[in-house]
Every structure is written in structure tokens, then in C-alpha cells.
Amino acid sequence: MTEPIVIAGSGLAGYNLAREFRKLDRDTPLMILSRDAAGFYSKPMLSNALSAGKTPESLVMKTADKMAGEVLATIRPHVEIAAIEPADRIAVLASGERIAYRDLVLAIGADPIRLPIGGDGAGDVLSVNDLDDFARFAARLDGAKRVVVLGAGLIGCEFANDMLARGIAPTVIDIAAWPLGRLLPEAAAGWFRQQLEAAGVTFRMNVSATTIERSGDAWRVALNDGSILDADLVLSAVGLRPRTALAAAAGLSVNRGVRVDRLLATSDAHIHALGDCAEVEGLVLPFVMPIMHQARALAATLAGKPTPVAYPAMPVVVKTPACPTVVCPPAANAEGRWHILPASEGERGVEAQFLAPDGTLLGFALLGAATARKQALTAQAPAALA
């Protein structure tokens, strides 16, 4: 009997790979291993679930059983790979069970970064990285009015905006000078901040949390400027770190993520990686569009047609209804500078373009009414990975 293709992970990366593979190959055995219940849900929906009126249960679009029938796979919930033996093509589960594979795909995601914060309440800080995390977060929101969010990046701002729907006016803190600091130029970020503050979000920039102490049923967050924030809940949203330990222990090449080539193969030809854990030519892109391109390319490769992954220009939509925002960041090493374009008369919005010295468009940021130009500018922007 042919050994199965084993996919470790049942998130968007794992399930979309399975769907794309089944379009090309209906016969090769497929097995999906999941650390959780393996229900299919959209992780990006977690940061706007409150305003959408979603519960943890209603976020699940399909159960593991339904997904097993859809992708013709054996799905194993609540299991985890403890070790990989590449020479024998064996995945060893935490239970000791040994699973032989034809090819192994790591779609194991990333872990929330935990800040080195002192105090007896530091361990109570929540992060939302999956459905179980969201369930704990949603339960703790009952009765909460004062929420402190650590991190003013994309996820922190999205959760802050979403909590407004529950009558919560969150305070967002960050060591950066402005919100969405890795995505927006200062002028655009200033307008973004104004819109979210008008809606009820408070930003405290250029500060960090030093200690978090319990205070009865609440917490006291001490900042490095000497001020104190009282909170009914503290949410950390300072970023993700790709899960690389399993790959590293198996002798695979890792850097920021699990290193893969354009065929999404690791340093072992029969082990691949995609999604939040994968690093493709130095790029770690924890967004939906890269995952979709990876899934289609890897499915073709696993089906017998080697297909290098390529990324077109991929704008990121920031889910902050108080200030609709679309960003297509320039490459990290791009030479050029941001230009803020004057708004049309009566228009509420900001358009920023990152231009090379010769005037070539290398990236853009659109806020408010300017988001209507997303399609036109995307057509002009360079591919993220040609």
C-alpha cells in the first residue's frame, strides 16, 4: 500500500493544501494530524468575530468529519508530532505511535511572542492564536470594561477595533512611535490613529509594560514611563514566532522559519512546509494570500508536477472598520521613500505611495475612502516573489 501524504496542521494552510491536492489527485492516501479538534474555521476571522456576533462555536464552518469527507482524508484530531525520523520517513506522535509517510508537510503555524514582563499577573495575559484561545478570550470579556492591548500592530489594532462592538474602550500600548509601525508611514499612521481614537480606542505609544500585578479580580499594568493602567483583562498581540523546533530537532534547516525552496521543500526532499511556519527565500508572510499561493503550488508539486511558488503583489486588508485600511508594503530592502498624495476635495482618506528614485511604484497604503484605489494600484505594484 502507498504510504500517505501526511499534513501536520489543520489550519488554513493544511486544509487548503488538502483541497488543492484533491483537485489533482483523488487516489493518493492523505492524512491530516491536528493538535486541536480539527474543525475548519478561518483564523483571520478571530480578530473581528465580536462585531460579527460570532461565538467560538459558530466560527467553525465544518467539523473534522465533514472535512474528512470533503478532502478524502483520514483526520486525526488531538494528536501532535513529537519527532520526525527523515531517513525512515517516520513521524513519531507524542503517544509513541509511528506513522510512515510518503511526504510530510509541516503546516504547524506559529506561536505568540511572549514579552519578558514581571509581576504576579504576567502569566494571566491572554493571546489569541487559535479557536481555543478565542474561546478563553471571549469568556473573559464578560463584564470587562477596561482592556489593555499589548501591541499596536495589525492584530492588536484589529482586536482593539473589534472590542468596541462590546462597549469596551481598549487602551493599546506599543514601544513604536505610531500604530501599524511596520506597515504605514508616519503621516498615514497619524490619520489612522485619529480615526480609531475617535471611535473609542486609546493609544499609548513609545511605552512598554514592565510589570503586571494582580489586584483582586483585575490587573495593574505598570508602564516604563511610571504610569499605571488598571485593566479587567490584558491581551498580548505583539507578533508571532514560527514553530521551528520540530524541524530543527529533525536536522532540517531553520532560520526565522522552517527554510524551504521555491518548491516549498525543506532541506529534506520529502518534507515540505507552508503557512506561518515557512520561510520562502527569506520571506515569512503570515497572511492569507501567500498561503493560498503556497497551497496551489505545493499541491501541484505533490501531485507530480513540480511547481515553484510565486507571489504577485498582495495587499493586506486591515480589518479596522473605524478606519478601512489596505497596505501593500514595499520589500524590506527597497530603495525609495513614502509620498503622501493630497486627498481629493471632500474625500476623507489618505493615499501613500512608496516610490523608487525613478518614480516606480514599489508599495502603497490606502486609508478611508482612498481604499477604492486598491485594484488600480495593485496592478502597478511589483510582484512580491516573481
Side-chain angles (χ1 to χ4, degrees), residues 72-355:
L72 305 177
T74 298
I75 297 180
R76 302 276 305 273
H78 304 298
V79 299
E80 187 170 2
I81 297 178
I84 304 168
E85 299 175 2
D88 298 319
R89 299 193 207 173
I90 296 288
V92 183
L93 302 187
S95 65
E97 181 183 352
R98 298 167 65 82
I99 297 176
Y101 60 82
R102 190 202 86 180
D103 290 280
L104 175 64
V105 179
L106 302 179
I108 52 180
D111 289 314
I113 294 172
R114 302 292 294 187
L115 295 174
I117 299 173
D120 62 6
D124 302 324
V125 174
L126 297 181
S127 295
V128 178
N129 190 41
D130 58 32
L131 193 61
D132 291 340
D133 290 342
F134 178 75
R136 287 187 284 271
F137 169 68
R140 287 270 299 276
L141 278 180
D142 287 341
K145 290 296 180 185
R146 304 165 301 174
V147 176
V148 171
V149 180
L150 309 180
L154 185 147
I155 300 301
C157 288
E158 288 186 347
F159 271 105
N161 195 142
D162 203 40
M163 281 185 273
L164 297 174
R166 291 283 294 267
I168 297 169
T171 298
V172 182
I173 72 170
D174 202 300
I175 59 172
W178 59 81
L180 298 181
R182 294 183 179 180
L183 296 175
L184 296 180
E186 183 175 6
W191 198 82
F192 176 89
R193 176 177 179 171
Q194 290 173 10
Q195 308 316 302
L196 264 68
E197 289 189 330
V201 177
T202 297
F203 286 98
R204 293 287 302 276
M205 308 306 298
N206 296 302
V207 295
S208 62
T210 55
T211 61
I212 300 176
E213 304 285 353
R214 292 192 183 97
S215 177
D217 293 330
W219 288 264
R220 306 198 80 202
V221 182
L223 305 184
N224 63 347
D225 65 355
S227 60
I228 301 290
L229 298 175
D230 292 314
D232 301 311
L233 184 150
V234 182
L235 177 69
S236 178
V238 296
L240 298 173
R241 181 175 290 114
R243 292 177 179 138
T244 60
L246 179 64
L252 305 179
S253 178
V254 302
N255 186 37
R256 287 192 302 140
V258 180
R259 279 179 162 162
V260 294
D261 60 19
R262 294 286 289 272
L263 295 177
L264 300 176
T266 67
S267 49
D268 182 284
H270 289 281
I271 303 177
H272 296 73
L274 81 164
D276 292 0
C277 72
E279 178 179 334
V280 187
E281 293 198 354
L283 297 175
V284 178
L285 300 175
F287 304 112
V288 173
M289 286 307 297
I291 288 173
M292 302 303 288
H293 287 282
Q294 290 171 3
R296 283 191 287 270
L298 182 52
T301 295
L302 293 174
K305 183 182 179 182
T307 303
V309 69
Y311 299 145
M314 298 179 294
V316 177
V317 177
V318 185
K319 299 188 295 296
T320 47
C323 183
T325 301
V326 176
V327 187
C328 188
N333 59 352
E335 293 186 9
R337 65 186 184 90
W338 285 101
H339 297 258
I340 306 298
L341 277 63
S344 301
E345 186 174 352
E347 181 181 72
R348 284 186 48 78
V350 174
E351 177 175 342
Q353 296 185 5
F354 190 92
L355 303 179

Side-chain angles (χ1 to χ4, degrees), residues 57-76:
E57 296 76 20
S58 66
L59 282 166
V60 178
M61 292 177 271
K62 293 182 182 179
T63 64
D65 287 343
K66 286 186 177 179
M67 289 304 299
E70 180 178 314
V71 299
L72 305 177
T74 298
I75 297 180
R76 302 276 305 273

